[in-house]
Amino acid sequence: MEKNYDTHRIEDKWYQTWMATGAFHSDHTQAGEPYCVMIPPPNVTGILHMGHALNISIQDILVRWRRMEGRNVIWVPGTDHAGIATQNVVERALKKEGKTRDDLGRDAFIERVWQWREEYGGTIVRQLKKLGASCDWERERFTMDEGLSDSVSEVFVRLYEKGLIYRGNRIINWCPRCHTALSDEESEHQDSVGKLYHLRYPVRGGAEGEHVVVATTRPETLLGDTAVAVHPEDERYADLNQKAIILPILDRELRVIHDDYVDPKFGTGIVKVTPAHDPNDFDMGQRHDLEQINVMNGDGSMNEAAGPYAGMDRFACRKQILVDLEARGLIEKIDEHHHAVGHCYRCDTVVEPRLSPQWFVNMKPLAEPALAAVQNGDITFVPARWTKVYMEWMENIRDWCISRQIWWGHRIPVFTCTACQHEWAAKGRPEVCPTCGAGEVTQDEDVLDTWFSSWLWPFSTLGWPEQKPDLAHFYPTHDLVTASEIIFFWVARMIMAGYEFMDGVPFDTVYIHGTVRDDAGKKMSKSLGNALDPLDVIKDFSADALRFSLIMLTATGQDVYISKEKFELGRNFGTKIWNAARFIRMQSPSLADDSDATDTDGEVEQRDVVGLPVLDTALLTADDRHILGKLDEAVQQCSAALGKYRFNDAAHVIYEFLWHQYCDWYLEYAKSTLNGDDPARRDQVLTIMHYALGTALRLLHPIMPFLTEELWHAMGYSTTTDTEDPAGFIMKAPWPQPLDDAQRAAWGLDAATIEYVENKHELIRLGRTLRADFGVVPNKPIDYIVKPHDAAAAGHLEEDRASVAALLKAETLSVDADFAPPEAMPSSVGHLGTLYMPLAGLLDVEAETKRLGGQLEKVVKGIDQIERKLGNTEFVTRAPEAVVTQQRENQKALMEKRDKIERLMETIKG
């Protein structure tokens, strides 16, 4: 093995090997209970970001774990055609050429998009592979491929013929930049500080100067007002029925309507009604048969209905209309107003509520079984708190606007006969009208919302509407891993589609992971300049380091706070394991050469670390039993954590076992045996070391696949000497199982032995702390004395004296139940007894006193500074609570350090 772990060479080597050997592929003919995961398809325009890295790492952990459990696993990958996003990318490219999509025409533009997809669309897929994703790449799908397009048409036609798809002239979210409708979920609301304009509408037929006051955040829309509304029981405006309200600027007479929607206690109790530019006003307009006047064009400019403002941009119109209203004395007041404003989820343009003819899906009938599925537990959300979010949205679901006024996407399969005006939905391209036989057939110009293909993903990717064997075998799928922001976009709709077209759930568990944030708590994004590129992290650390660090730091369903430095955690862990494996290889004669074991032709001795090792129980020491017990504990805890989707707990278990129990304690303990002259003990210790490492590598594999695969072969643990035989890959090795009670008893893995070794470790830590407290260098021999608490502890320590002394780096270790220090002597109390460290000859008292005095001076200064801050009333009352709390915690820590230094100085003085 190389001295240093060459992450990039090894990660590239193993991914190429896995791909070349088809290690990730399976189908319905393979043995094992089926387990299927569908990747949330990233946009074809996408570039890997930390959110992807977290999502893919979690999915890969589940997939690799289940594969090792013997399940028949497929992880289906693919990309989304991302209608608006992709069209925007290509239009920007055309703009650089001085062209628009209209210059090319629809067919040529779509061809241009396909060309772009062929050239750049695979970027995100290549990046997922760098991360180590073990997707079944032979199954890769694209939401615009032939099969998925057929599924989309099939679903549209079925829903159309069932009456669940309809065309309606309704208020929708309109993006003036993208020139298309958006669904409610695609209009992302951002908190902003705007203005609330209180405007005077003159009253005709009343007293001189009489007016009513209405309020709006969008004065430009008043040009489309057709009424004012009051509550039916509001007596203040009872006489308005005999008067006329006049629309400012345009002098149009407005109707006065009475509607329960109006809150008489809010504002003046009277509201303007603009049916073509507000969803609530639209509903009132429907109830009262109001005229709908659209005053804007699709690009956000004012149309001819805006009168003198025609042709102006909507925001320029707002400024001018306020000037004109002010000139006429029609502005009552202007307040600062905090509200949430809808923005396009793709280009961040302020969305305009606008009356427009669009295609909709009637969602309530589809929502009923999907709501019941979560209510009765057929589908589970993890963490459970997302259940309530899902339920509330489903209970208040609104119809889904599915048409988009763009060219890239699935064109709506609705056709009209220009001869007889018959309209129908069909798959393919009809040549003649089915009613009159005429050949003048036109197709709807709009395309479907991107999510209309994505909601079919779990079954369309398996061949539906054809009833293929893989669909029957792998559907319904199992775990869905995704982010909270697409619960409504995608998760809910997939559940509805599953019930409507497959008569049941599409998956049984939805795991919602948190958001990746920087150390300051801000969501990572390019616009904020705080984004970390996963590919840079892989380059600087490794894919394994990226994966392990993310998982270790991310609690179940919680947001994760990262900085580049935090990926040192995973890198250092990988280095620790690599060095431990090299150490073991050097102790194993058949493995001790310096060659790259995975590049040799069968020269590595194969060693079975999957089956239970044959151990001579008479040779087992307490430390042997302890490491075997801790290994079994790790197997149990890791499996339980993965079963509960507590991925960070699984990472902590493996980290604790490998870094601390295995490397820090057992390998250090084993060195004296390995360097000793008892070949039987040496062989047994090596057997335990290999067995423990092999088991731990299998536990770690789902999180760190590359390192574990490399070491699996380098250590001779593979079942075959052919490094390109998938049967020998660690991903095909069985998942570790806990020991049964009989085996634990046979090896003597009892609680008392485990507890003794834990207490022994505590004693050694106390000795090392004493050494550090008094500035004694680590390699300086010390004469320690232990006064055991009882006879049992004395017996253990006497039997284990050589081991304890070696780990303490002690010159001598005395076990004396009657020891009484003749003078003040550094000591620490543990569960086994009191450990003393005589200072005679160990240190220069004067120099050590001076060193501690310098430390004490710095600590006292730090305490004084904090006390001055906390004594400052202005600081305590104005500083954030967290800052004040941190100062108090710092004060407490420094005071404890001061007390400890003073005790050490007293001990030195004797």
Side-chain angles (χ1 to χ4, degrees):
M1 287 175 64
E2 298 172 355
K3 182 176 182 180
N4 297 314
Y5 178 38
D6 185 349
T7 59
H8 299 116
R9 181 183 68 81
I10 289 171
E11 290 182 351
D12 288 344
K13 176 188 74 174
W14 279 116
Y15 205 86
Q16 290 170 17
T17 302
W18 293 332
M19 289 291 289
T21 56
F24 306 146
H25 179 65
S26 190
D27 60 32
H28 67 278
T29 65
Q30 302 303 304
E33 181 185 350
Y35 178 77
C36 178
V37 171
M38 296 287 173
I39 196 172
N43 287 346
V44 70
T45 58
I47 296 175
L48 191 70
H49 57 63
M50 277 298 171
H52 289 131
L54 176 61
N55 178 272
I56 294 300
S57 296
I58 291 172
Q59 289 181 78
D60 203 30
I61 289 170
L62 288 169
V63 165
R64 289 178 183 270
W65 171 47
R66 295 301 190 186
R67 192 181 285 127
M68 295 176 76
E69 281 195 323
R71 303 280 289 269
N72 182 11
V73 173
I74 62 169
W75 181 14
V76 180
T79 50
D80 193 292
H81 66 277
I84 296 174
T86 306
Q87 178 154 319
N88 284 346
V89 168
V90 176
E91 285 196 78
R92 284 197 295 270
L94 285 174
K95 188 176 181 180
K96 292 178 181 178
E97 301 172 15
K99 299 177 182 177
T100 67
R101 61 170 166 154
D102 294 312
D103 294 332
L104 271 65
R106 183 172 195 140
D107 291 343
F109 178 78
I110 292 174
E111 179 61 31
R112 182 70 176 263
V113 180
W114 277 108
Q115 291 173 7
W116 180 93
R117 188 251 175 181
E118 290 302 314
E119 188 172 352
Y120 301 105
T123 299
I124 187 72
V125 168
R126 290 191 295 272
Q127 293 171 337
L128 295 180
K129 291 177 179 178
K130 289 291 288 184
L131 197 60
S134 63
C135 299
D136 189 342
W137 294 107
E138 294 179 39
R139 296 178 177 275
E140 183 180 350
R141 302 303 298 269
F142 178 54
T143 52
M144 286 276 285
D145 69 30
E146 185 176 350
L148 268 62
S149 295
D150 182 64
S151 300
V152 167
S153 297
E154 178 75 21
V155 164
F156 188 99
V157 171
R158 288 193 190 188
L159 293 177
Y160 180 92
E161 293 179 347
K162 199 172 180 179
L164 291 177
I165 285 181
Y166 65 93
R167 197 199 318 253
N169 195 33
R170 300 177 56 178
I171 293 287
I172 49 89
N173 302 292
W174 182 267
C175 177
R177 158 62 184 80
C178 299
H179 291 220
T180 185
L182 303 173
S183 68
D184 290 340
E185 293 73 34
E186 291 169 325
S187 175
E188 296 181 340
H189 284 78
Q190 301 174 14
D191 291 334
S192 62
V193 180
K195 303 291 185 184
L196 184 62
Y197 304 93
H198 300 263
L199 309 178
R200 297 168 180 164
Y201 280 23
V203 176
R204 183 179 295 161
E208 176 104 14
E210 184 178 349
H211 60 266
V212 295
V213 177
V214 299
T216 181
T217 58
R218 299 154 64 216
E220 64 278 11
T221 63
L222 71 80
L223 302 168
D225 286 1
T226 55
V228 294
V230 298
H231 192 274
E233 298 177 3
D234 192 342
E235 296 181 357
R236 292 174 296 174
Y237 300 109
D239 65 339
L240 281 185
N241 291 330
Q242 286 75 47
K243 301 174 183 177
I245 308 297
I246 304 303
L247 178 67
I249 310 296
L250 298 184
D251 293 329
R252 183 166 63 237
E253 189 170 311
L254 305 178
R255 282 178 56 188
V256 177
I257 62 174
H258 298 79
D259 197 282
D260 289 334
Y261 169 76
V262 181
D263 181 359
K265 297 178 181 178
F266 182 78
T268 61
I270 185 167
V271 298
K272 61 191 284 297
V273 184
T274 320
H277 289 278
D278 183 273
N280 295 313
D281 292 2
F282 175 82
D283 292 340
M284 280 196 287
Q286 294 289 95
R287 290 193 291 270
H288 298 278
D289 195 26
L290 296 179
E291 182 183 3
Q292 300 164 338
I293 302 176
N294 188 340
V295 297
M296 285 188 201
N297 297 311
D299 62 359
S301 64
M302 309 306 290
N303 63 22
E304 63 279 357
Y309 306 101
M312 296 180 69
D313 174 77
R314 54 181 169 158
F315 297 120
C317 173
R318 177 180 300 180
K319 290 180 181 178
Q320 186 58 50
I321 208 168
L322 288 169
V323 171
D324 295 343
L325 289 170
E326 180 68 32
R328 299 184 187 197
L330 296 179
I331 297 180
E332 178 88 1
K333 62 177 180 176
I334 301 175
D335 294 331
E336 188 176 275
H337 184 59
H338 295 259
H339 60 152
V341 178
H343 288 69
C344 176
Y345 80 121
R346 281 299 167 204
C347 68
D348 205 40
T349 300
V350 174
V351 166
E352 192 64 47
R354 181 171 180 259
L355 187 67
S356 177
Q358 301 288 339
W359 289 97
F360 296 87
V361 178
N362 180 1
M363 300 301 280
K364 284 197 178 295
L366 300 176
E368 290 172 5
L371 186 60
V374 176
Q375 287 174 327
N376 62 28
D378 291 339
I379 296 176
T380 303
F381 278 85
V382 180
R385 67 177 183 273
W386 292 109
T387 302
K388 183 179 179 182
V389 175
Y390 171 88
M391 303 281 280
E392 288 179 350
W393 187 77
M394 293 292 281
E395 288 166 353
N396 297 284
I397 197 165
R398 298 175 62 171
D399 287 356
W400 175 15
C401 176
I402 58 171
S403 48
R404 300 291 181 268
Q405 288 66 52
I406 57 176
W407 288 348
W408 173 243
H410 297 100
R411 192 165 174 182
I412 290 177
V414 172
F415 303 89
T416 303
C417 173
T418 56
C420 71
Q421 302 305 307
H422 174 61
E423 179 189 277
W424 75 103
K427 295 174 68 175
R429 174 79 190 194
E431 296 296 328
V432 297
C433 173
T435 300
C436 72
E440 293 83 22
V441 176
T442 60
Q443 184 175 358
D444 196 285
E445 292 289 325
D446 291 349
V447 302
L448 288 163
D449 177 11
T450 293
W451 298 99
F452 196 89
S453 52
S454 302
W455 76 322
L456 314 178
W457 190 251
F459 52 86
S460 65
T461 52
L462 293 174
W464 188 91
E466 293 183 40
Q467 298 302 308
K468 295 187 175 182
D470 275 355
L471 178 63
H473 189 70
F474 290 107
Y475 190 90
T477 69
H478 299 85
D479 294 313
L480 176 72
V481 178
T482 190
S484 62
E485 55 261 30
I486 56 174
I487 289 177
F488 314 133
F489 277 126
W490 193 46
V491 179
R493 290 170 181 164
M494 282 192 291
I495 297 173
M496 288 185 268
Y499 274 95
E500 177 68 16
F501 304 107
M502 297 295 290
D503 299 320
V505 299
F507 33 72
D508 51 46
T509 304
V510 181
Y511 178 81
I512 304 294
H513 60 73
T515 300
V516 181
R517 301 182 181 277
D518 65 17
D519 267 347
K522 295 179 181 177
K523 183 177 179 179
M524 285 197 164
S525 69
K526 285 186 177 180
S527 60
L528 292 176
N530 64 347
L532 285 177
D533 186 338
L535 296 181
D536 288 342
V537 174
I538 291 173
K539 180 180 178 182
D540 294 341
F541 298 94
S542 73
D544 278 339
L546 168 65
R547 291 166 61 120
F548 186 85
S549 302
L550 272 179
I551 296 302
M552 182 96 159
L553 295 169
T554 307
T556 303
Q558 301 297 312
D559 292 350
V560 56
Y561 300 85
I562 62 170
S563 61
K564 197 162 188 177
E565 293 71 28
K566 288 186 177 178
F567 294 101
E568 294 174 4
L569 169 70
R571 181 186 61 191
N572 294 345
F573 185 45
T575 300
K576 184 87 168 179
I577 299 168
W578 182 263
N579 290 339
R582 284 190 74 248
F583 171 77
I584 297 172
R585 271 185 61 124
M586 288 189 288
Q587 311 306 315
S588 307
S590 63
L591 298 175
D593 61 85
D594 290 329
S595 63
D596 181 350
T598 62
D599 288 341
T600 59
D601 296 321
E603 295 178 10
V604 178
E605 178 188 2
Q606 303 307 115
R607 183 184 289 269
D608 179 15
V609 292
V610 172
L612 293 175
V614 177
L615 301 176
D616 184 344
T617 56
L619 294 178
L620 287 174
T621 65
D623 287 85
D624 296 335
R625 292 187 169 95
H626 177 264
I627 197 64
L628 290 169
K630 283 296 178 181
L631 176 63
D632 188 50
E633 188 179 289
V635 170
Q636 295 179 54
Q637 292 177 349
C638 189
S639 297
L642 291 178
K644 295 177 181 177
Y645 303 89
R646 301 187 67 86
F647 305 105
N648 67 313
D649 286 352
H652 275 278
V653 167
I654 302 167
Y655 184 89
E656 165 64 22
F657 175 78
L658 274 171
W659 190 295
H660 297 298
Q661 302 298 339
Y662 188 71
C663 294
D664 286 356
W665 290 114
Y666 192 71
L667 293 194
E668 289 302 312
Y669 157 81
K671 286 178 181 177
S672 58
T673 300
L674 296 174
N675 294 326
D677 53 9
D678 185 341
R681 268 292 295 152
R682 188 178 194 281
D683 287 347
Q684 178 135 306
V685 165
L686 271 174
T687 296
I688 293 171
M689 289 165 66
H690 279 291
Y691 170 66
L693 179 62
T695 303
L697 288 178
R698 284 184 287 151
L699 293 177
L700 181 61
H701 173 72
I703 308 177
M704 299 182 82
F706 296 107
L707 172 66
T708 52
E709 190 74 82
E710 176 70 10
L711 291 179
W712 189 251
H713 293 264
M715 301 302 290
Y717 301 160
S718 172
T719 56
T720 172
T721 57
D722 182 358
T723 59
E724 295 189 2
D725 182 353
F729 293 162
I730 191 172
M731 75 171 73
K732 303 291 186 178
W735 184 254
Q737 298 300 312
L739 301 174
D740 58 32
D741 292 342
Q743 188 60 55
R744 290 183 64 85
W747 284 349
L749 308 186
D750 57 274
T753 301
I754 304 297
E755 182 182 8
Y756 161 67
V757 178
E758 293 292 310
N759 292 338
K760 168 182 163 180
H761 292 170
E762 177 196 47
L763 189 74
I764 292 162
R765 282 193 296 269
L766 293 174
R768 291 171 178 174
T769 300
L770 285 173
R771 180 189 288 269
D773 284 345
F774 287 92
V776 181
V777 294
N779 60 355
K780 187 176 182 65
I782 294 178
D783 296 321
Y784 285 103
I785 302 163
V786 182
K787 183 178 182 179
H789 285 327
D790 53 37
H796 279 304
L797 289 168
E798 283 290 357
E799 185 180 343
D800 223 1
R801 185 199 301 266
S803 166
V804 176
L807 291 168
L808 279 171
K809 291 186 169 59
E811 181 75 20
T812 62
L813 176 67
S814 302
V815 180
D816 185 352
D818 300 319
F819 180 73
E823 56 188 359
M825 185 179 294
S827 63
S828 286
V829 180
H831 287 86
L832 291 176
T834 304
L835 182 67
Y836 293 91
M837 186 179 76
L839 293 177
L842 273 184
L843 50 82
D844 182 329
V845 173
E846 184 178 345
E848 183 62 14
T849 302
K850 184 176 180 181
R851 183 182 73 85
L852 291 173
Q855 287 186 3
L856 182 61
E857 185 179 349
K858 289 181 181 178
V859 169
V860 170
K861 282 183 179 178
I863 293 172
D864 289 344
Q865 288 175 352
I866 292 175
E867 286 180 344
R868 283 196 296 273
K869 274 188 179 180
L870 294 176
N872 184 336
T873 306
E874 188 174 352
F875 170 78
V876 174
T877 56
R878 296 185 65 178
E881 184 179 347
V883 173
V884 176
T885 300
Q886 186 62 54
Q887 287 294 318
R888 291 198 171 110
E889 290 175 358
N890 292 346
Q891 180 189 40
K892 181 181 177 182
L894 286 174
M895 291 173 76
E896 289 173 354
K897 189 172 183 179
R898 176 197 62 192
D899 295 344
K900 181 177 181 179
I901 294 172
E902 289 175 345
R903 286 196 302 272
L904 294 175
M905 294 178 74
E906 285 297 319
T907 301
I908 291 174
K909 292 175 183 177

